[in-house]
Amino acid sequence: MAHELGESDWGDWLPTAVAEADPDTVAVWYLGCNGFVLKGREGTTLFVDPYCGLGDPPRTVRMIPVPFDPTDVDEADAVFATHEHSDHVHGPTQAPILAATGADYYAPDASMAVVDRAGWTDDWGVVAEQFDTVAEGDEFDVGEFTVHVVPVNDPDADHPVGYVFDHDAGTIFHGGDTRPAESFPDLADRFDVDLGVLAFGSAGRILDTETREPTRTQWYANENDVIRAANALELDRVVPSHWDVWKGLNADPTVLHHHARSFPYPERLEVVEIGDRLDL
């Protein structure tokens, strides 16, 4: 079955590390692909685009470990999806987290349509009251975070959104699989973003969904686009994501140092690997 749940290579140490962490500000863990966990100093725990699936071999082949078993997660206040693609809305990963923790699920309408078709309330025991459909311009609180739903530019998605997570200790932007967007200068005026997540990857030859013929594919921002986006958003720190997961689309994020050095932003490039922790 395509995008089935993979068996964790790491046991339960990563969700245990999150549960036991007591950050002074906000701790951020990279889950590989475009998944992150945010945990504030008061304990509010947010998952963004977690994905423990194996892809759809031979079209999409996972290149990194499966870092945790979703049934080992017992602390989460909310799970966020940026758009409807299967490595961002994934029932076998996300629904067990919702069922075990009672967390709320925030996603745009196209993502919620995937949830409905996949029968999360039927197969995993999630209840309808946990689902909150969001759109650009929405603002709400989850524990110690204020969440802003913002416009992004992902030409491959039906309805993508980004999230700005405001906290007393700082501000985090997660753009999903965005490329540079016309909205970014306005977001830079509205928010002083301390840490921004931008998807990065190479172009590659991926099997077409219907013909199964190798086709040149560019799903993520290239080196120049990542730095253009970081400058438009005026990011203090940028974390490149998504470069690690798919065979043929993976890339070397350290090259971004060369592209960034002649621009004012980002002030710092944070290259992290799956399982790494950052702090605001």
Side-chain angles (χ1 to χ4, degrees):
M1 176 182 175
H3 287 269
E4 65 184 1
L5 185 69
E7 183 177 349
S8 174
D9 300 280
W10 288 358
D12 65 356
W13 75 260
L14 185 54
T16 299
V18 174
E20 293 180 351
D22 187 19
D24 293 328
T25 55
V26 176
V28 180
W29 289 264
Y30 181 42
L31 305 177
C33 194
N34 216 353
F36 288 81
V37 182
L38 284 57
K39 185 174 185 179
R41 60 164 69 102
E42 297 174 18
T44 302
T45 303
L46 313 178
F47 283 75
V48 187
D49 284 352
Y51 176 68
C52 294
L54 298 178
D56 184 17
R59 182 171 184 264
T60 51
V61 179
R62 187 182 181 107
M63 296 288 289
I64 52 175
V66 176
F68 66 95
D69 186 321
T71 61
D72 288 329
V73 176
D74 55 18
E75 292 186 12
D77 294 282
V79 179
F80 294 84
T82 59
H83 62 287
E84 74 280 358
H85 293 165
S86 51
D87 52 346
H88 299 260
V89 176
H90 188 240
T93 298
Q94 296 168 3
I97 297 174
L98 301 178
T101 65
D104 290 321
Y105 189 74
Y106 297 95
D109 50 8
S111 300
M112 286 300 189
V114 173
V115 170
D116 185 58
R117 289 196 299 269
W120 289 20
T121 56
D122 299 326
D123 295 340
W124 284 286
V126 185
V127 297
E129 289 75 16
Q130 291 176 261
F131 296 124
D132 294 277
T133 302
V134 300
E136 297 87 339
D138 288 353
E139 176 184 325
F140 49 91
D141 292 331
V142 180
E144 63 203 274
F145 293 88
T146 298
V147 183
H148 306 266
V149 185
V150 298
V152 294
N153 170 32
D154 179 359
D156 297 310
D158 288 340
H159 185 186
V161 300
Y163 297 100
V164 174
F165 300 96
D166 256 337
H167 188 275
D168 289 344
T171 302
I172 298 169
F173 168 82
H174 191 300
D177 290 354
T178 192
R179 318 282 181 89
E182 293 180 357
S183 61
F184 286 176
D186 177 63
L187 295 181
D189 291 338
R190 292 176 57 198
F191 305 105
D192 181 10
V193 180
D194 298 282
L195 183 69
V197 173
L198 293 173
F200 166 56
S202 66
R205 287 168 60 79
I206 301 296
L207 299 184
D208 182 81
T209 304
E210 296 181 0
T211 68
R212 310 306 279 182
E213 291 296 322
T215 304
R216 186 183 186 279
T217 301
Q218 177 81 55
W219 282 337
Y220 315 114
N222 63 22
E223 297 94 327
N224 293 320
D225 285 341
V226 168
I227 300 306
R228 281 179 54 211
N231 271 274
L233 290 161
E234 299 182 8
L235 300 180
D236 293 345
R237 301 157 69 185
V238 66
V239 177
S241 63
H242 231 319
W243 55 268
D244 53 0
V245 65
W246 299 132
K247 182 175 178 62
L249 300 181
N250 43 3
D252 178 1
T254 63
V255 303
L256 294 169
H257 287 289
H258 304 296
H259 293 264
R261 62 189 174 191
S262 64
F263 293 90
Y265 300 99
E267 295 178 1
R268 203 157 102 210
L269 176 65
E270 301 273 7
V271 175
V272 294
E273 296 179 330
I274 183 172
D276 284 351
R277 169 179 166 173
L278 298 167
D279 286 80
L280 289 186

